Amino acid sequence: MLEAMTDTEIATEAGLAAAKEFLAETLVIQGSELTLSRVGDGDRFLLDGFELSREIVDEWQRAGLHAVGVPVFCIGSDPYQGAVEQIARWNSRLLDLSDRVVRIGCVADVDRARAEGRVGVLLCMHFGGMFRTLDDVDYFYRLGQRSCVIVTHGQNAIGCPPGERHDGGLTHFGAGVVERMNTVGMAIDISHANERTAFDALDVSTRPIWANHTAAAALAPVPKNKSDGLMRAIGEKGGIIGIQPSAYLISSKPLVGVKELVDLADHVRNVAGEEAVALGFEEPWQGFAHLVGEHAPVGPTKWRRRGKTPPAPPAGPSPALHIPEMLRVDRYALLIAALMERGWDRSALTRFAGTNIRRFLEAQEAGRTETAYHSSVRASQINNGTVV
């Protein structure tokens, strides 16, 4: 029977202590912090900003995090209204907890949160379907959105994910969205885009882009993973590859450990560059294998011709979902200790832990000028045009 490694097999006790000391001294940014809600005893993802709690902020700080990107999801059948509602819920709750958190509008907010002992929160929409027009990009930026996964599960008006019936790229509208995101300073996330859409976005964008949470196709041929060619191109343009520790994305082995996660970090560093690799876990520290029923993770819907038998699952054991050793609050210290053991120096670790993402966010706002907002609202529209 395969068993998980112990802490001492991953790093020495002195190495783990050194890693925790390092994290206490350096900026730590987690690009995609998917959290479990405290409602329901951890049986669901935190999909609704109203469920953000002080206990969750405590966990972020115990983990050593100074800033987190939170994936904001569109809930409901109307993408635009659903996105507006969810951002409103996050904004409301972040205001309630303003003694503990800072909503990140610019890089200075990252530094302010750290200096004041609070946690910076970057609102990252995990969906691009709410953009009906190019002006919607400006609107959502004003609401506080600072990053967008331009396509997720299923083709939209912007581009295409892997696994669609036809392998499309960035649309004309999508190119306009990317251009407008550059203008306002909203980061372009191609974590779920197919190769063609990602390269198209890279070609159109005048700013660095990121794959906020992903892994390497060269190490595990999973559709979501990114090729070496794409990661290299992202790195050459100043972008970010956030490594995701989901075991099934890292390796096809029946048991995946911290060694394989370090192999992934090494691979991205070697391919995309030391200034490109970063934290992008998008996995709760408790894992998600225990989530069931209506709380279980969902994937893309695949059409199948009526009457056609579904393909048989691959032979052999099912791929693991998690790295057992990483199911702990202080998982970042454990990973840093393992990277130290692998030979990463302090400069590389500092970039990986947070300064790479900070530089990336700084690049999104470089040269940006604030534009005056001209509302379309007129007095004649008050109360639906009825004078009272």
Side-chain angles (χ1 to χ4, degrees):
M1 180 178 177
L2 295 169
E3 295 182 354
M5 297 168 66
T6 64
D7 291 356
T8 54
E9 291 174 309
I10 299 167
T12 63
E13 186 175 333
L16 191 57
K20 290 181 178 180
E21 182 179 347
F22 166 81
L23 289 177
E25 297 171 350
T26 195
L27 175 67
V28 185
I29 304 177
Q30 220 285 66
S32 188
E33 177 71 4
L34 181 59
T35 304
L36 292 187
S37 172
R38 283 286 179 159
V39 177
D41 296 323
D43 68 349
R44 69 194 70 189
F45 291 119
L46 197 163
L47 303 177
D48 187 327
F50 280 162
E51 292 188 357
L52 180 65
S53 65
R54 293 181 182 276
E55 291 78 11
I56 289 171
V57 179
D58 287 341
E59 289 179 355
W60 290 344
Q61 293 190 312
R62 290 208 312 274
L65 298 173
H66 300 113
V68 297
V70 293
V72 180
F73 298 89
C74 170
I75 308 297
S77 58
D78 184 328
Y80 178 85
Q81 292 298 333
V84 169
E85 180 177 346
Q86 287 305 311
I87 288 185
R89 288 169 181 245
W90 276 98
N91 279 331
S92 174
R93 193 60 182 147
L94 293 177
L95 180 62
D96 291 342
L97 300 176
S98 58
D99 61 322
R100 303 293 309 281
V101 298
V102 175
R103 194 190 75 182
I104 297 173
C106 60
V107 169
D109 293 328
V110 175
D111 302 333
R112 180 164 63 94
R114 184 186 180 195
E116 295 174 356
R118 295 189 280 171
V119 178
V121 178
L122 188 78
L123 297 182
C124 304
M125 185 60 71
H126 202 271
F127 179 77
M130 70 284 186
F131 295 146
R132 309 162 305 175
T133 69
L134 299 185
D135 287 342
D136 285 342
V137 177
D138 300 65
Y139 178 65
F140 279 93
Y141 183 89
R142 290 182 182 277
L143 292 182
Q145 181 184 345
R146 289 298 179 267
S147 180
C148 183
V149 177
I150 57 175
V151 60
T152 313
H153 295 318
Q155 186 171 344
N156 63 15
I158 297 173
C160 194
E164 271 290 354
R165 296 185 67 231
H166 302 287
D167 197 33
L170 200 68
T171 64
H172 285 290
F173 176 71
V177 167
V178 166
E179 186 176 58
R180 186 63 68 90
M181 290 173 72
N182 284 166
T183 300
V184 302
M186 185 184 295
I188 296 149
D189 187 353
I190 53 85
S191 292
H192 288 269
N194 67 0
E195 196 92 337
R196 185 173 173 184
T197 297
F199 269 112
D200 286 350
L202 195 63
D203 176 61
V204 172
S205 181
T206 57
R207 297 187 190 271
I209 70 174
W210 62 348
N212 172 288
H213 50 285
T214 191
L219 302 182
V222 177
K224 179 179 178 291
N225 286 351
K226 307 309 174 193
S227 70
D228 284 0
L230 177 58
M231 292 195 295
R232 186 176 296 110
I234 289 173
E236 287 173 351
K237 204 165 181 176
I240 293 292
I241 307 294
I243 62 168
Q244 187 171 353
S246 300
Y248 66 99
L249 295 178
I250 295 174
S251 173
S252 56
K253 296 178 181 178
L255 184 68
V256 179
V258 175
K259 174 189 176 299
E260 285 73 26
L261 180 56
V262 172
D263 289 342
L264 172 62
D266 262 340
H267 184 83
V268 174
R269 180 189 179 196
N270 292 334
V271 169
E274 190 169 291
E275 293 192 348
V277 62
L279 294 168
F281 275 29
E282 194 161 282
E283 178 178 297
W285 67 264
Q286 305 95 325
F288 54 81
H290 65 288
L291 304 185
V292 296
E294 63 182 1
H295 299 310
V298 296
T301 300
K302 300 286 187 180
W303 175 82
R304 185 175 295 110
R305 194 175 298 279
R306 188 172 298 175
K308 188 174 181 180
T309 304
S318 300
L321 288 177
H322 307 302
I323 297 174
E325 302 91 344
M326 298 300 288
L327 299 179
R328 48 192 287 173
V329 173
D330 64 346
R331 55 188 176 166
Y332 307 110
L334 193 62
L335 176 55
I336 291 295
L339 291 171
M340 287 176 169
E341 292 280 337
R342 185 64 65 92
W344 286 40
D345 62 21
R346 189 176 185 87
S347 175
L349 291 170
T350 299
R351 291 191 176 98
F352 173 69
T355 61
N356 279 347
I357 291 182
R358 187 193 182 283
R359 171 194 54 77
F360 171 80
L361 295 176
E362 200 168 37
Q364 304 306 310
E365 61 189 60
R368 179 184 180 275
T369 57
E370 187 73 28
T371 57
Y373 178 69
H374 298 282
S375 176
S376 61
V377 176
R378 298 294 181 265
S380 60
Q381 297 171 291
I382 295 174
N383 299 322
N384 294 322
T386 303
V387 178
V388 294

